[in-house]
Amino acid sequence: MSSSKPTRHRCSAIPGYQEGYLEKLESKSQYKRFWTVLRGNNLFFQVTSRDPMYIEKLNLDDLVSVESEDSLNKDLQVPNLILRLKHGDVKLKADSLESREQWKSFILTVAKLEIPNLALLPGQIHRLKEVLEEEIKERSKLTAPPLLARSRTPEPVEDNYDDVENLPSCYYKISRVEAEIMLERSMEYGNILMRPGSDNKSFAITTRQMFKGNALVKHYRVRCADNGYIIEVDSGVLCNSMQEIIDYFVQYTNGALKPLERSMDYEINLSFVQEDVESGELIHQKQQQTPTKTPTRKSLPPVKEEKPSPKIPIILEPEGKYLNDAEIEKLSQVKIETQPKKMPMLPPSKTLTQAHSSQFKVLPGLTSAVNSELRTKLMERKVAMNE
């Protein structure tokens, strides 16, 4: 009789996180090679990579641990992998030591929902974080949130409990795993937060601190009591309000724990990424703000105060001194209206007149009659002095 063929099943539509060839121990010392795909929290064993059907599926819900077992011959260093399950152990064999470590890290991440503490490269750790986020989203789609069923029947409100408005600023309605991821991504904002408890009847405090390059994540239960809240540490710490719970952790650690309060800043300028038509490169553009013109009064030109221009002083050249200055002062006091008495004029000699007529200067401010009389007197006096 021919041996019965193994039953084949169609693979699910869940995305595969890791795939490759693994050998599965079927008997005491016989391994069988399968194309293995890690889909969700299950290992699917297929004949080839193109086969849409799988032969066997291994569920990892009951996974306890994953251990690496080297071959007895250390020179060969054949990588073996042991999956410790509650109902038994499964032995697998990878193609290389590097492949074994990759399978080990992916299996632990999906089964435990946490990044394992293994010697991994930065790129591998980044990939595991993406797998962890995707697995959390997939599980949230399969299980409905318990708050939807509880919202139909309103719970009794007690006077000792805080209202929603009195919740601490670091309170978030997230799960245990989401709290760890949130604290890891928001280290610059804080390292402690409050969240609902797993039983939806209590609260929990999650903290995350770095110690020698390793992350220390702690969870503390907060139980609701008739007279307040009790932090279940040591013999219990009683607090009257939820904000007092956060204050206790901050004061007890001397400020080492800082509440996680995300920044609520908003952008004031519009910016967007656009592809350049000519070069095809992506350019981050920011909106240029046009300053709003405020109506301003037209400023009139300043009125120039007319300062009195200084008068140009009249520079008078000093006149030469004459012998008849005393007589000129007496004549200047005589009014112009009164005509001076005519004095008998002696006929001057032609030689004297010609000699001294050119030396006489007309005095300013006097009439022509006075000047002619002065000229005559001066000529007569000079003639008398020459005699």
Side-chain angles (χ1 to χ4, degrees):
M1 296 179 61
S2 60
S3 61
S4 60
K5 295 182 179 180
T7 307
R8 298 162 65 87
H9 306 275
R10 185 172 295 275
C11 297
S12 62
I14 302 175
Y17 301 135
Q18 172 70 0
E19 58 184 10
Y21 281 106
L22 285 177
E23 296 182 12
K24 184 174 178 293
L25 182 63
E26 297 291 335
S27 60
K28 292 183 179 181
S29 60
Q30 184 179 2
Y31 284 87
K32 190 173 182 180
R33 189 176 180 84
F34 295 98
W35 179 263
T36 310
V37 182
L38 178 62
R39 298 182 185 273
N41 200 25
N42 298 281
L43 283 175
F44 292 87
F45 298 95
Q46 304 171 197
V47 178
T48 60
S49 59
R50 298 181 179 180
D51 193 357
M53 311 294 287
Y54 68 90
I55 299 175
E56 185 180 353
K57 182 177 71 171
L58 179 62
N59 187 269
L60 301 177
D61 289 339
D62 298 334
L63 180 69
V64 178
S65 63
V66 180
E67 298 178 2
S68 301
E69 182 184 17
D70 294 332
S71 177
L72 297 176
N73 190 351
K74 295 183 179 180
D75 296 334
L76 297 176
Q77 293 184 354
V78 179
N80 294 338
L81 199 64
I82 301 178
L83 304 182
R84 303 287 185 184
L85 304 174
K86 292 181 180 180
H87 57 272
D89 298 342
V90 177
K91 292 186 178 182
L92 302 174
K93 184 187 296 184
D95 293 338
S96 61
L97 294 175
E98 182 180 359
S99 177
R100 181 193 67 182
E101 293 301 316
Q102 288 183 357
W103 278 106
K104 184 177 180 181
S105 61
F106 276 97
I107 292 174
L108 287 175
T109 300
V110 175
K112 301 296 183 179
L113 290 180
E114 61 182 7
I115 306 298
N117 188 12
L118 299 176
L120 301 173
L121 298 175
Q124 295 173 341
I125 296 176
H126 180 71
R127 173 57 183 161
L128 291 179
K129 290 181 180 179
E130 293 179 348
V131 171
L132 179 60
E133 294 177 5
E134 192 171 353
E135 179 64 18
I136 292 174
K137 291 180 181 179
E138 291 295 331
R139 293 193 185 186
S140 63
K141 294 178 182 179
L142 298 176
T143 58
L147 295 178
L148 296 177
R150 293 169 57 88
S151 61
R152 297 179 181 178
T153 57
E155 297 180 355
V157 180
E158 299 184 8
D159 296 336
N160 294 333
Y161 293 163
D162 294 341
D163 297 334
V164 177
E165 297 180 355
N166 297 328
L167 291 175
S169 58
C170 61
Y171 177 83
Y172 301 94
K173 289 185 179 181
I174 54 179
S175 63
R176 182 189 185 102
V177 178
E178 291 173 341
E180 296 178 1
I181 297 175
M182 188 174 182
L183 287 174
E184 182 181 1
R185 294 183 175 180
S186 308
M187 295 177 59
E188 64 273 15
Y189 299 112
N191 52 9
I192 179 175
L193 60 82
M194 178 180 287
R195 58 179 177 84
S198 57
D199 55 357
N200 291 327
K201 296 180 181 179
S202 60
F203 298 95
I205 300 294
T206 303
T207 64
R208 187 181 188 275
Q209 292 180 289
M210 299 301 297
F211 179 73
K212 295 182 179 180
N214 297 324
L216 298 179
V217 181
K218 303 292 183 181
H219 302 276
Y220 304 92
R221 185 188 301 274
V222 179
R223 180 167 48 87
C224 299
D226 296 336
N227 55 348
Y229 304 91
I230 298 177
I231 307 174
E232 295 185 352
V233 291
D234 299 335
S235 58
V237 179
L238 178 63
C239 299
N240 297 325
S241 64
M242 298 177 70
Q243 183 61 44
E244 189 175 343
I245 298 173
I246 302 298
D247 296 340
Y248 172 79
F249 279 90
V250 174
Q251 295 176 3
Y252 185 81
T253 59
N254 296 325
L257 294 177
K258 179 183 176 182
L260 176 59
E261 298 176 358
R262 289 201 167 184
S263 177
M264 300 300 292
D265 296 337
Y266 296 94
E267 297 292 337
I268 59 175
N269 296 329
L270 179 63
S271 62
F272 58 94
V273 178
Q274 188 178 16
E275 183 178 358
D276 190 3
V277 180
E278 298 179 357
S279 62
E281 297 180 355
L282 296 178
I283 303 175
H284 185 202
Q285 296 185 358
K286 293 184 179 180
Q287 183 184 13
Q288 296 181 356
Q289 287 187 345
T290 55
T292 56
K293 296 182 180 180
T294 56
T296 56
R297 295 181 179 179
K298 293 182 178 181
S299 58
L300 297 176
V303 180
K304 295 182 179 180
E305 297 182 358
E306 295 182 357
K307 297 182 179 180
S309 57
K311 294 182 180 180
I312 300 175
I314 300 175
I315 302 175
L316 298 178
E317 295 181 357
E319 298 181 356
K321 294 184 179 181
Y322 300 95
L323 298 176
N324 57 350
D325 290 339
E327 296 180 1
I328 293 175
E329 290 180 2
K330 292 180 181 180
L331 293 175
S332 62
Q333 295 176 359
V334 179
K335 294 182 179 180
I336 301 176
E337 296 177 357
T338 59
Q339 295 182 358
K341 296 180 180 180
K342 294 182 179 180
M343 298 294 292
M345 297 178 63
L346 297 175
S349 60
K350 294 180 180 182
T351 57
L352 182 62
T353 303
Q354 294 177 356
H356 298 282
S357 59
S358 60
Q359 297 178 1
F360 184 82
K361 294 183 179 180
V362 179
L363 298 177
L366 299 179
T367 60
S368 60
V370 175
N371 284 325
S372 61
E373 186 176 356
L374 289 174
R375 186 184 298 109
T376 305
K377 285 183 173 287
L378 182 59
M379 292 170 61
E380 292 177 351
R381 188 169 182 178
K382 288 183 177 182
V383 171
M385 290 176 64
N386 291 331
E387 294 178 352

